Amino acid sequence: MGPVPRTLELFYDVLSPYSWLGFEVLCRYKNIWNINLQLRPSLIAGIMKDSGNQPPALLPRKAQYLRNDIRLLGQHVQVPMQFPKDFFSVILEKGSLSAMRFLTAVNMEHPEMLEKVSRELWMRVWSRDEDITEPQSILAAAEKAGMSTEQAQGLLEKIVTPKVKNKLKENTEAACKYGAFGLPVTVAHLDGQTHMLFGSDRMELLAHLLGEKWMGPVPPAINPKL
């Protein structure tokens, strides 16, 4: 028997491009490091509101910087990222409430599908500039991830239920309790201590805390092709 895997929680929202980067890196390392990765779909809008934070792109210089940052990081991490053409409409007006409720329902009923469905929603919004708010968009992502139409339809019907709504709220509140002011947030539970790391660029620090080896965002053993 080797050492018990350490629990990592990743709080994320598919509206957040940095969440996608953190998600892919942790998914690559989950079988390399001795960790138990728990994906926690959360609502970035709720976290921003609760913490009094503002979306970074509201500041023109930051918006300009983000565009380039996302492009370069996408190349570096090997994630096919593309800024949505109408960024403000996609991010600030349409949001991700239905998509994140859907992922919450997936996690409650088919947790083994959560990684793939999350990735397909990111592919839509942050790679192909496609909608993630309409029911048919969410169904298309679920089916592309390998769900049957019936399965996906059944989960979609549940996003209006108090059970699913409350679970998403719970995850979002849990992130806030850990001190989140944006996403992604990785929470490492180590030797009775809790470490909250913000952003997708703290993975080297995470490796240090875990006593694991950091081999860059694309570890050699991994085929990063998405």
Side-chain angles (χ1 to χ4, degrees):
M1 288 289 284
V4 177
R6 272 73 55 86
T7 297
L8 292 187
E9 298 178 83
L10 175 70
F11 293 88
Y12 68 95
D13 185 324
V14 294
L15 212 51
S16 153
Y18 294 98
S19 286
W20 190 10
L21 296 166
F23 168 92
E24 293 299 352
V25 170
L26 286 178
C27 286
R28 290 166 189 171
Y29 274 94
K30 69 179 179 188
N31 296 321
I32 298 174
W33 291 345
N34 185 29
I35 56 173
N36 166 24
L37 179 61
Q38 298 180 354
L39 299 174
R40 299 264 185 262
S42 318
L43 199 64
I44 195 165
I47 291 169
M48 296 300 244
K49 193 177 169 193
D50 188 75
S51 63
N53 199 355
Q54 290 283 322
L58 290 179
L59 192 69
R61 281 188 200 174
K62 263 192 186 172
Q64 204 179 344
Y65 175 80
L66 283 177
R67 224 167 246 281
N68 203 35
D69 193 45
I70 294 295
R71 185 176 61 82
L72 294 174
L73 280 171
Q75 292 167 6
H76 176 57
V77 183
Q78 296 186 38
V79 173
M81 300 181 101
Q82 203 74 45
F83 233 77
K85 278 188 189 63
D86 192 351
F87 174 78
F88 284 101
S89 160
V90 169
I91 304 300
L92 301 175
E93 289 165 23
K94 291 182 173 177
S96 59
L97 184 60
S98 295
M100 295 318 295
R101 280 180 180 163
F102 185 76
L103 289 176
T104 303
V106 171
N107 198 23
M108 289 164 83
E109 306 221 348
H110 301 283
E112 73 288 351
M113 293 298 294
L114 182 59
E115 180 186 327
K116 284 185 171 169
V117 182
S118 299
R119 183 175 290 119
E120 289 304 336
L121 284 164
W122 266 306
M123 286 295 252
R124 286 185 71 87
V125 66
W126 275 104
S127 192
R128 300 194 299 267
D129 198 5
E130 293 171 356
D131 174 72
I132 56 161
T133 59
E134 298 296 329
Q136 63 270 27
S137 306
I138 295 170
L139 286 177
E143 286 172 31
K144 210 163 189 314
M147 271 195 175
S148 71
T149 310
E150 296 74 29
Q151 212 179 22
Q153 195 70 54
L155 289 174
L156 197 57
E157 283 162 17
K158 291 188 172 158
I159 70 170
V160 294
T161 63
K163 203 173 167 189
V164 169
K165 287 180 178 180
N166 290 337
K167 185 64 185 164
L168 177 59
K169 208 168 160 211
E170 255 172 58
N171 276 355
T172 305
E173 282 168 1
C176 290
K177 281 198 183 87
Y178 285 129
F181 47 86
L183 288 175
V185 157
T186 307
V187 178
H189 300 275
L190 307 169
D191 310 320
Q193 282 192 308
T194 300
H195 300 272
M196 186 278 271
L197 303 175
F198 170 70
S200 59
D201 56 356
R202 289 293 181 269
M203 298 305 170
E204 199 166 349
L205 178 58
L206 178 62
H208 165 73
L209 289 171
L210 291 165
E212 294 278 6
K213 191 169 185 250
W214 172 246
M215 295 172 275
V218 188
I222 294 294
N223 173 13
K225 183 133 181 59
L226 296 179

